[in-house]
Each structure stands twice: as structure tokens, then as C-alpha cells.
Amino acid sequence: MSQSSDFNAFLTDKVNLNQTRLNLLSQRVTAIENCLTSDEVFGEYVTELIPQGSFGHGTIIKPVGNKDFDADVLVPMDEVPGWVAKDYVQKLYEVFGRSMTYKTMRSRKKRCVTIDYAGDFHIDVVPFVTRYGSTYVTNRNTDEYELAAPDDFTEWFEEKNRITNGNLVKAVRLLKYLRDHKRRYTIPSVTLTAALAHHVSETAKIVDPGAYKNVANTLRTLSEEFAAHIANYPTSAPCIKDPGTGRDLTDRWEDHNYRTFRTRFTSYAGAIIDACEETDYSKAVEIWRDLFGPDFGTVTESASLTAAISKALTPASERFLDRDFNIPEVINPAYRVKTVGYVVPRKGFRDGPLPKRGDRVGKHRSLKFKIEGSNIPEPYDVYWKIRNYGAEAEQADSLRGDIHRDDGSRMWTERTSYIGHHYVEAMIVRNGVCVAKSRQDVIVI
């Protein structure tokens, strides 16, 4: 047994990186981007930075104790004539050396330059080079191009997160928290993230419609399946593929660390199952507390305040199909539809689907939203809903929530104006009933 309010409060108060620090991170990334694009040498080749890793996936969590956290950003660029692999990191390092701001904050690693904001976080800036139609990171030590597709990983993970109604991201955060606070096993974050996402499927929803109903159910579904999978591998980790390159993400996970992880994780998965199956709420909370600590199940003042503020911010302008258009909602689970947002290209900037960018995009960009992958029989109508969140949108009285009937193009356009986590949703109406919906998140940084 579980209550969504318990998980929401725990995530808000203990697990999630708070919005103030996320906003500061976004500001720092923008400042680094401005430094690179205005540089006399590098500016010719760089137009923007793209979040990757836990930053791009939305799975960053609060660091333990006084430790700082890290964020990775890609520097997309085409191969520069005359440069070899080792030059990219070196020349990036030199750019920061020309800046009075970053000169004393920079350090070189094999594949990136790190900018260290002492005592808070550091940002790894990674050259991401397109050559001969493929993408690479560059190794300064070996002078080699290394095949990489972090944007493909991000797109794949975003699709898996959609299947779970956004609960995959929360499950990954919780299991990273469990790893960091229990400190009884080690597993690289990217390996854990991929392992859980590989066990997300539409089939699971057919077999058990409640598989991803909420955070607790998603935790149970994924933990149970992953534990069952590793039960067949007692000594060495099974292959966990990078969906972009096909590389085995366990190749640097030492066998003794894997075996410790296997034992501990199997035990934790059993506890998660027990908590979900326990019918007595107070007993279930005790099991969750054994896993996550004594703060679980206690709705703190800050979490309550956050929930109250969130509720209060439902704008008067928000519209709903049933209430305002007299269109009832009866979702048909056999129907599939997907809304995908695309960044409209402008001079010097890259376009492409939002999912490849972790749904993240800067301000003042134009977006197009399209209906893709629909199996719904014609004829049907499409209604578009646009909803903004965050302090900037609130202050501008632009939280919106408006709904528009499609003009037949099956496309909608918007422009990013406010920092925050927004969405555009397509609602499919057939025979006067909403039978399917698909939401594209838009995270403006």
C-alpha cells in the first residue's frame, strides 16, 4: 500500500534537486554557452549547448551531505578541418582560459572540460562532433574519436518515460537516492538508468493496467523485473545496452561490485513488493521507511506548501474538454498516438525533435508539434492544449491552459517565452468522445 502524496512529498523534500538550484544551473549553462559562442576562435563552430546524462534525462538528485552535483552538457559541432581528436578538448580549455570568469574554474579531463562552481556543482562541457554522418566524443589522451550517441539515449529514455506516465524518471531518482544514502552497493548512474528503462514496455501495461499507475507501482514493476533478470547472472552482470551505440554499459562495472549490488538490490526489490502488497497503511509506511529512511511518509511543511501553491496556480484561463467543450473522455487503451515537438531551425542553430534534447530548449525558440504514430481510424478531430508553469509564466499572467481545435494540418506552433516545465497536449476526439491523448513536455531553460 502507498499514497501518492507520500512519494510526492518525499521526492520534493528529500530527493529532487530544488528548483532554485536547477534555475541556477540553467543560468550557468547559458553563461557558458554565451562564452563559447562569442569566443574569437570557438565561436565560429558553436551555436548552443545541449543537456545530456542525468541533466538531460531529468534524473539529477540532491547530493549526499556537502557533496556537489555534476551536470553534463554537449557542445554540438561539425568536424573542424585541420583539427585532430585531441584538439577539441584542448581548444575548448583554451577558450575558458581567455575568459576572466572561467580561467581559474576550468580543468581538463579525457573527454571534457570541467567548470567547477566550488561547493555547489560542476559542469562537464563535452565536445560532440559530427563527422562522416556519425557522432563522436573526443579523447584527449588517446587522440581518438569515440562513437557516441547520447542524444539517441535521451530520446529513447524520454519515450520510455512517456509509457510510464512520467513515473520512470521518479523511480530512477528514488533508486539513485537509495544507492547514495544506503551506500551498500555501487552502480554507475547511466547503467542503472538504462537497466530500469529497458524493462519498461507497453506489454506490461496490457498484462497489468496498473503497472505504471503511480510511483510505487512503477518502482515495484521495474525493481521486480530487474531483480528477476539479474537472478540469472550470479557472477557477472548481464549486458545492458546503450540504445544509441549498442555498447555494453556494464563493461566498467567490476564483478565484485556487481555481485554486491545483485544481493542488495534483490533484497530491496523484495521489500518494495512487500510494501506495495501490505494492506495496512501504517505497516506499509514502516517498510518504506526501512528503505528510504525515517522521513518517508511525513508530509513536511515545505512539501505541503508546495502542493498548496501548485493547486492555487491552476489558472482561471485553463480549459477542459468535458467542462468547456462538452466532450467526454473515454480513453481507448487500444489506440496509440504520439505528439512530438520539433525545434524550428534558425541560422546557426540545430533543429530536431525535442525528445533528443531531453525535452529541453532555450527561450525564444519556435516549436512545431506534430501527430505521429497514430493507429486511430479516421475520421477524428485533434484538439491542442497548451499549459505553462513556473514563476516567469505566472508573473506574466501566462499560465494559459487554452484549448484549440486543429485546422486540419495536424500541427501546432508555439514559441518559448518563459523558463519552466510546460506541455503541449494533443487530444484525439472521435465520434464526439476523447479517445486518446499524448503530451509533449517542453522544459525551457
Side-chain angles (χ1 to χ4, degrees):
M1 175 180 286
S2 65
Q3 291 191 8
S4 294
S5 60
D6 291 333
F7 279 96
N8 290 337
F10 187 69
L11 282 160
T12 298
D13 276 11
K14 298 297 178 181
V15 179
N16 296 348
L17 197 64
N18 62 56
Q19 193 59 50
T20 300
R21 294 179 84 180
L22 284 172
N23 290 346
L24 180 60
L25 172 60
S26 294
Q27 292 168 14
R28 302 299 195 207
V29 170
T30 299
I32 291 173
E33 182 178 275
N34 290 338
C35 172
L36 297 184
T37 56
S38 62
D39 182 74
E40 58 189 18
V41 176
F42 226 71
E44 179 182 353
Y45 310 113
V46 178
T47 56
E48 62 179 336
L49 304 182
I50 298 177
Q52 74 138 345
S54 58
F55 183 23
H57 305 153
T59 58
I60 290 180
I61 64 172
K62 289 178 182 177
V64 177
N66 296 322
K67 293 183 179 179
D68 63 356
F69 69 91
D70 68 283
D72 298 344
V73 292
L74 300 174
V75 187
M77 55 193 302
D78 293 327
E79 183 178 23
V80 179
W83 290 15
V84 295
K86 65 182 179 182
D87 291 335
Y88 290 85
V89 170
Q90 177 59 32
K91 291 185 181 296
L92 181 60
Y93 180 74
E94 292 169 2
V95 173
F96 292 122
R98 290 190 284 271
S99 166
M100 295 302 295
T101 300
Y102 300 112
K103 186 174 183 178
T104 61
M105 301 169 63
R106 59 181 180 147
S107 62
R108 281 171 295 187
K109 294 182 180 177
K110 286 191 295 184
R111 301 174 182 87
C112 68
V113 175
T114 296
I115 301 298
D116 188 11
Y117 298 88
D120 195 4
F121 59 85
H122 61 269
I123 299 175
D124 290 336
V125 187
V126 185
F128 184 52
V129 181
T130 298
R131 62 194 303 259
Y132 307 119
S134 297
T135 51
Y136 300 83
V137 295
T138 60
N139 190 313
R140 180 174 67 92
N141 293 350
T142 65
D143 195 20
E144 292 178 334
Y145 293 96
E146 298 175 349
L147 187 67
D151 52 344
D152 287 344
F153 188 116
T154 300
E155 182 177 37
W156 170 79
F157 184 78
E158 195 263 6
E159 174 61 25
K160 295 290 188 176
N161 192 46
R162 287 193 191 209
I163 294 173
T164 66
N165 302 311
N167 288 316
L168 172 59
V169 162
K170 297 172 184 178
V172 171
R173 289 178 189 165
L174 284 165
L175 291 174
K176 287 173 67 173
Y177 177 92
L178 190 63
R179 175 199 64 188
D180 294 351
H181 285 261
K182 291 281 190 181
R183 292 185 291 183
R184 294 179 179 174
Y185 61 75
T186 60
I187 179 174
S189 291
V190 66
T191 306
L192 177 62
T193 300
L196 295 174
H198 272 298
H199 288 284
V200 172
S201 70
E202 292 283 2
T203 303
K205 293 171 68 173
I206 296 172
V207 174
D208 176 10
Y212 311 122
K213 180 181 179 181
N214 52 35
V215 178
N217 285 22
T218 304
L219 264 178
R220 172 183 176 157
T221 299
L222 300 182
S223 298
E224 187 174 15
E225 290 192 8
F226 187 34
H229 183 55
I230 60 179
N232 298 315
Y233 298 85
T235 58
S236 298
C239 177
I240 299 173
K241 285 189 176 182
D242 181 325
T245 64
R247 181 175 72 86
D248 183 3
L249 294 172
T250 69
D251 59 357
R252 298 174 188 171
W253 198 11
E254 295 183 7
D255 286 347
H256 71 278
N257 286 332
Y258 164 72
R259 289 192 291 270
T260 301
F261 167 82
R262 179 177 176 272
T263 299
R264 296 293 185 186
F265 187 84
T266 300
S267 173
Y268 296 153
I272 290 170
I273 294 170
D274 290 343
C276 288
E277 292 183 348
E278 176 56 64
T279 57
D280 185 298
Y281 172 72
S282 60
K283 291 181 180 179
V285 168
E286 287 304 314
I287 299 173
W288 290 122
R289 285 177 178 169
D290 284 343
L291 280 167
F292 295 118
D295 293 317
F296 185 91
T298 302
V299 179
T300 66
E301 181 179 350
S302 63
S304 300
L305 182 61
T306 299
I309 291 173
S310 178
K311 185 176 181 180
L313 289 183
T314 300
S317 59
E318 184 159 10
R319 297 291 177 258
F320 301 90
L321 279 184
D322 53 355
R323 186 191 72 186
D324 300 298
F325 293 81
N326 198 31
I327 297 174
E329 179 180 303
V330 183
I331 300 298
N332 186 330
Y335 288 159
R336 297 283 180 269
V337 66
K338 183 177 180 180
T339 304
V340 180
Y342 290 83
V343 182
V344 177
R346 71 186 194 204
K347 186 177 180 180
F349 284 76
R350 298 189 176 214
D351 60 349
L354 278 173
K356 276 186 174 287
R357 309 163 63 104
D359 301 331
R360 285 158 175 78
V361 65
K363 293 172 71 171
H364 313 303
R365 299 298 304 271
S366 295
L367 306 176
K368 286 185 179 180
F369 299 85
K370 303 177 183 180
I371 300 293
E372 296 183 356
S374 172
N375 69 347
I376 303 172
E378 296 277 8
Y380 59 79
D381 293 317
V382 178
Y383 287 74
W384 298 95
K385 180 170 182 174
I386 303 93
R387 182 70 160 89
N388 290 336
Y389 291 87
E392 289 190 355
E394 181 190 4
Q395 291 165 6
D397 193 24
S398 189
L399 294 174
R400 299 182 62 177
D402 41 304
I403 294 177
H404 306 268
R405 186 173 180 174
D406 187 78
D407 61 6
S409 64
R410 304 283 166 85
M411 184 182 300
W412 187 257
T413 59
E414 286 287 335
R415 186 170 177 82
T416 59
S417 300
Y418 311 107
I419 291 174
H421 193 148
H422 321 300
Y423 71 78
V424 171
E425 185 171 57
M427 299 170 285
I428 309 302
V429 176
R430 191 168 186 268
N431 298 325
V433 176
C434 178
V435 296
K437 298 189 296 185
S438 176
R439 178 178 295 185
Q440 171 68 73
D441 288 337
V442 181
I443 305 171
V444 180
I445 60 176

